[in-house]
Amino acid sequence: MDDCVFCKIIKKEIPAEILQETEDFVIFKDIKPSAPVHYLAVLKKHIPSIKEIEHEDEALIGHLIHEAKSAAEKLGLSGYKLVFNVGRDGGQIIDHIHLHILGGWN
Ligand code: 5GP
Ligand code: ZN
């Protein structure tokens, strides 16, 4: 956890372009965008990946999706993709749950 990049962004130890923040989540711009608009919705709780979520985390994951929806509205996206990469073979590089918000093609 100490060397987790997203925990460092959450603790403001490294900078990020934050769009919105609540008690449980932070949403910031991806440093290397894969779409014209690319943000990451990040849980403040350090859970490495979807593989590690427990029953007690279900509501939190639901809220994360809702938070991503509200960010997409704020960004004026008419349509978008929400993506969880899960595990190395699923393309996950940062081991801290995050939901990619991708859009802006139109
Ligand atoms: P993953 O492949 O783990 O699902 O996605 C990690 C994402 O985090 C990548 O799209 C990558 O560009 C982004 N990323 C990695 N390091 C940083 C960083 O220090 N700051 C920001 N804003 N994004 C990062
Ligand atoms: Zn972390």
Side-chain angles (χ1 to χ4, degrees):
M1 255 193 268
D2 286 347
D3 58 359
C4 170
V5 176
F6 287 176
C7 281
K8 285 182 180 166
I9 288 176
I10 290 160
K11 287 187 267 175
K12 309 284 186 335
E13 289 173 4
I14 60 173
E17 235 180 279
I18 294 173
L19 175 73
Q20 61 193 52
E21 182 167 9
T22 67
E23 198 184 331
D24 293 323
F25 314 101
V26 62
I27 300 191
F28 53 85
K29 219 174 209 178
D30 195 292
I31 206 167
K32 203 177 151 219
S34 324
V37 178
H38 188 175
Y39 281 78
L40 300 168
V42 179
L43 276 187
K44 287 191 175 175
K45 179 177 178 183
H46 180 97
I47 303 172
S49 84
I50 288 291
K51 289 182 188 180
E52 284 80 26
I53 55 172
E54 311 270 2
H55 181 63
E56 63 178 30
D57 300 316
E58 282 176 6
L60 208 50
I61 299 298
H63 289 164
L64 180 67
I65 294 169
H66 193 265
E67 201 64 21
K69 174 201 112 134
S70 105
E73 282 170 3
K74 190 187 266 188
L75 291 164
L77 299 176
S78 52
Y80 47 92
K81 297 182 187 187
L82 297 179
V83 177
F84 283 112
N85 292 330
V86 184
R88 289 291 171 274
D89 292 339
Q92 186 178 3
I93 292 163
I94 307 280
D95 293 330
H96 180 132
I97 286 188
H98 52 281
L99 183 56
H100 293 261
I101 305 166
L102 302 149
W105 296 284
N106 293 329

